[in-house]
Amino acid sequence: MAERGLLVLFGSQTGTAQDTAERVGREAQRRHLRCRVEALDSCDLANLIHEPLVVFVCATTGQGDPPDNMKMFWRFLFRKSLPASSLCQLDYAVLGLGDSSYPKFNFIAKKLHKRLLQLGGNPLLPVALGDDQHELGPDAVVDPWLVALWDKILALYPLPPGLEIISPDVRLPPKYTLHYLPEDSPHPESDLLQPAAPRAAPCELHPFAARVVSNQRVTAQSHFQDVRLIEFDIAGSGITFSAGDVVMIQPQNCPEDVQQFCQLLRLEPHRRFVLEPTEPGTSLPPLLPQPCTIQYLVTHYLDISCVPRRSFFELLASFSTNELEREKLQEFSSAQGQEELYGYCNRPRRTTLEALWDFPHSTCAIPADYLLDLIPRIRPRAFSIASSLLAHPERMQILVAVVRYKTRLSKPRRGLCSTWLASLNPEQGDVRVPLWVKKGGMKFPADPATPVIMIGPGTGVAPFRAAIQERVALGLRGNCLFFGCRHQSKDFYCQTEWEELVTKGFLTLFTAFSRDQEEKVYVQHRIRENGKLVWELLNSENAHIYLAG
């Protein structure tokens, strides 16, 4: 009989597709299938032709783009040189996660399904198109699709004699075992985030610890929105970037949240441990030192401020010794309870830490071994770079709006990364931020004669500040900027810089201050008023138009 094995490959940008892929992996384990769950770009593509059974779980990002961790796979798969029968031994299924409010809804999943078919693959099921806009979220499609998938797979690979599907009531083993080290074991004193000598350009697995040079509020104190212009020193990092590029920043949890989490789970912050994979061949989590302290794990790795997913409640229910709590947790993790879960979690943006507070009996029963199964890792955040190396050598600046808003919960919601960045004070010593750079989607014209029309309301102006600095340093004059904000006196970012460039003849500037007069005025009104100029630039001078916001 053929070996009962399944490979689950995911392309995930925000973690939803990864969470779903891990769910498929758990369901495979319950059916006694040997299963690996990997990011598409981590998998050895040459071996794909030998895989008999693969489930692909992929999100679509931006305007129909593949997520970052499947870009290499995507390029490989669409090579013209691949023979039409490359995947003729492959049974596959594609599960897409998308949002139908975008024109290219689930574009990547549809295109992947079609391409696998062209290469001779055999689809077990039609492609599933999960939709964020559905009132029950993507699970409305995912749940019934998975039921059909397991029927197909078990028909091809029946359960071995004497084995039953492991009941959902039985808890699966954790991915890693956490071994505490004796309190008195020696440990090297080292700062875990050192500005290490760069081996190559910094990347997600090897970020550069950039020193914060300045952190300046650029909105009036009386303005509701706190926006920061933050400057980093990147000397010696090997980082280069041009206008339109993006900096990725790895944030951390605030000390109060870390302390609360450790108290709730009765964890000793300074205890040191090593992780051991339960299954041989499972790699250790990247970016976690070995050995590691609980404090470091909770501060830098566990995303305790994210809105918990359905899988969180499913696992938490399995630890619960309190009947009332367990019933509620089981309801939240059932297909029927998704509307209620949405109302409890997603709508008010309740965090994982707050959910743990609400289930105290279950929370204090969580074994430390399961922490990495229960809580996802903190994802890096992307910011448009707001400066040019030609104007500020060895420096990088970003424009950050601090995310803070109210829901029905009494405590205001705060963005993890922007709140952390705003709290950093370079006057209090050496403050460092782990970062690396990614190519952006904006490319500015190579021909110096081509004028550029930039429309950047609010912090959307960030990439255009980089572009204007770059173009002015090169002596290019055809720069036209439409900028909008609420009040000229409160949130007109970089006002003096723009005005100087206007005086010197490098910039044509149009502003829209929406709340400074009776009727609201936005950038689109200014574009319409200056339609003649815009058309002239487009029609006669072949101008390029850029929009960010």
Side-chain angles (χ1 to χ4, degrees):
M1 181 180 151
E3 190 191 0
R4 302 179 73 255
L6 166 66
L7 177 60
V8 182
L9 295 174
F10 63 85
S12 186
Q13 196 69 22
T14 59
T16 310
Q18 180 174 351
D19 185 66
T20 305
E22 282 164 357
R23 172 183 170 186
V24 177
R26 290 191 297 275
E27 294 192 10
Q29 257 180 297
R30 295 193 180 278
R31 287 156 181 81
H32 306 279
L33 285 150
R34 192 183 47 77
C35 182
R36 297 200 326 276
V37 179
E38 290 180 12
L40 276 151
D41 280 356
S42 312
C43 137
D44 182 356
L45 296 175
N47 283 339
L48 197 61
I49 57 169
H50 306 303
E51 290 290 345
L53 182 58
V54 181
V55 173
F56 297 88
V57 183
C58 4
T60 295
T61 67
Q63 303 301 317
D65 303 313
D68 289 340
N69 61 7
M70 70 176 280
K71 284 197 159 124
M72 291 185 317
F73 165 81
W74 199 244
R75 279 198 293 273
F76 173 83
L77 195 70
F78 284 91
R79 274 191 197 163
K80 300 267 191 294
S81 58
L82 291 181
S85 59
S86 309
L87 300 177
C88 57
Q89 81 318 326
L90 175 75
D91 287 327
Y92 74 91
V94 176
L95 165 50
L97 297 171
D99 182 323
S100 59
S101 66
Y102 284 81
K104 295 206 164 179
F105 171 54
N106 263 315
F107 181 74
I108 297 299
K110 292 172 187 169
K111 202 168 169 184
L112 172 62
H113 183 75
K114 200 169 160 186
R115 180 62 174 151
L116 294 170
L117 203 53
Q118 282 176 349
L119 294 173
N122 169 45
L124 295 177
L125 289 173
V127 57
L129 305 175
D131 184 7
D132 243 356
Q133 290 297 317
H134 192 285
E135 56 189 17
L136 301 180
D139 286 342
V141 168
V142 175
D143 289 357
W145 187 83
L146 281 177
V147 172
L149 178 73
W150 295 123
D151 285 348
K152 293 275 187 193
I153 290 176
L154 288 181
L156 291 170
Y157 301 94
L159 284 166
L163 284 181
E164 301 269 312
I165 295 176
I166 300 169
S167 150
D169 304 334
V170 177
R171 186 163 66 230
L172 295 169
K175 204 168 177 181
Y176 305 102
T177 320
L178 190 142
H179 297 286
Y180 282 117
L181 299 176
E183 301 259 11
D184 53 4
S185 66
H187 56 288
E189 286 301 331
S190 74
D191 177 16
L192 292 164
L193 182 67
Q194 284 171 335
R199 314 162 223 234
C203 59
E204 184 160 7
L205 296 181
H206 304 285
F208 176 72
R211 184 173 65 84
V212 179
V213 180
S214 62
N215 183 349
Q216 174 197 348
R217 180 168 172 148
V218 290
T219 43
Q221 287 299 333
S222 61
H223 191 55
F224 76 100
Q225 173 93 69
D226 180 357
V227 176
R228 302 300 176 105
L229 183 66
I230 301 176
E231 181 168 67
F232 303 107
D233 180 353
I234 55 167
S237 65
I239 288 176
T240 59
F241 58 86
S242 48
D245 287 350
V246 166
V247 62
M248 303 299 293
I249 290 181
Q250 185 64 48
Q252 59 187 56
N253 290 309
C254 71
E256 302 83 67
D257 285 359
V258 172
Q259 190 187 353
Q260 277 191 12
F261 181 86
C262 290
Q263 282 171 351
L264 265 176
L265 277 84
R266 301 176 185 175
L267 296 165
E268 296 173 50
H270 300 294
R271 277 307 292 276
R272 292 163 68 250
F273 64 88
V274 290
L275 288 178
E276 204 175 283
T278 311
E279 289 285 319
T282 304
S283 53
L284 288 166
L287 297 174
L288 264 192
Q290 288 266 59
C292 183
T293 62
I294 291 289
Q295 176 107 26
Y296 188 92
L297 172 73
V298 184
T299 303
H300 297 277
Y301 196 84
L302 298 180
D303 197 353
I304 57 177
S305 75
C306 71
V307 176
R309 303 178 192 275
R310 176 176 168 181
S311 57
F312 167 88
F313 294 97
E314 198 178 318
L315 187 53
L316 189 56
S318 74
F319 307 128
S320 187
T321 47
N322 176 289
E323 199 174 329
L324 264 174
E325 286 186 12
R326 188 170 60 245
E327 276 178 14
K328 193 72 198 164
L329 291 164
Q330 285 171 337
E331 183 186 341
F332 281 159
S333 53
S334 70
Q336 301 73 38
Q338 287 318 285
E339 211 160 328
E340 184 141 358
L341 176 61
Y342 190 85
Y344 170 72
C345 259
N346 303 65
R347 199 168 289 121
R349 309 304 294 165
R350 194 182 301 272
T351 69
T352 294
L353 182 58
E354 289 168 329
L356 291 169
W357 272 112
D358 285 348
F359 296 92
H361 299 92
S362 314
T363 295
C364 65
I366 297 169
D369 286 348
Y370 280 94
L371 283 175
L372 284 96
D373 294 83
L374 187 68
I375 301 170
R377 73 175 176 89
I378 299 174
R379 301 253 156 198
R381 309 308 205 251
F383 294 90
S384 290
I385 297 172
S387 62
S388 165
L389 286 169
L390 298 179
H392 303 275
E394 303 195 324
R395 294 282 199 262
M396 176 197 287
Q397 298 176 356
I398 56 174
L399 197 59
V400 180
V402 182
V403 177
R404 187 171 189 267
Y405 58 95
K406 284 286 294 172
T407 64
R408 63 179 173 77
L409 300 178
S410 59
K411 207 174 155 194
R413 308 292 88 193
R414 292 175 185 275
L416 173 66
C417 191
S418 59
T419 304
W420 172 62
L421 287 172
S423 75
L424 302 176
N425 183 355
E427 286 162 21
Q428 291 178 348
D430 191 25
V431 182
R432 292 190 180 260
V433 168
L435 53 77
W436 64 98
V437 164
K438 266 176 38 182
K439 276 274 146 249
M442 275 192 217
K443 296 279 173 287
F444 290 88
D447 179 355
T450 306
V452 172
I453 300 170
M454 295 162 277
I455 304 158
T459 52
V461 80
F464 303 138
R465 183 171 180 258
I468 291 166
Q469 286 183 0
E470 193 169 287
R471 288 171 61 82
V472 168
L474 297 169
L476 307 181
R477 287 184 180 267
N479 306 307
C480 175
L481 174 66
F482 287 87
F483 174 76
C485 64
R486 292 193 172 204
H487 303 279
Q488 180 166 6
S489 61
K490 292 185 177 179
D491 55 339
F492 186 2
Y493 315 133
C494 314
Q495 177 177 358
T496 45
E497 189 175 331
W498 303 139
E499 289 170 351
E500 260 173 49
L501 292 173
V502 170
T503 308
K504 291 178 181 167
F506 278 107
L507 180 66
T508 306
L509 176 68
F510 299 101
T511 52
F513 306 113
S514 62
R515 307 294 199 279
D516 277 352
Q517 59 286 305
E518 199 58 27
E519 67 299 335
K520 291 182 181 154
V521 175
Y522 295 111
V523 284
Q524 58 268 36
H525 297 115
R526 295 291 183 238
I527 294 168
R528 187 173 292 141
E529 287 164 18
N530 296 281
K532 196 162 175 289
L533 167 75
V534 172
W535 174 244
E536 186 63 29
L537 288 170
L538 285 173
N539 189 37
S540 311
E541 301 187 45
N542 199 18
H544 289 200
I545 289 202
Y546 299 85
L547 173 67

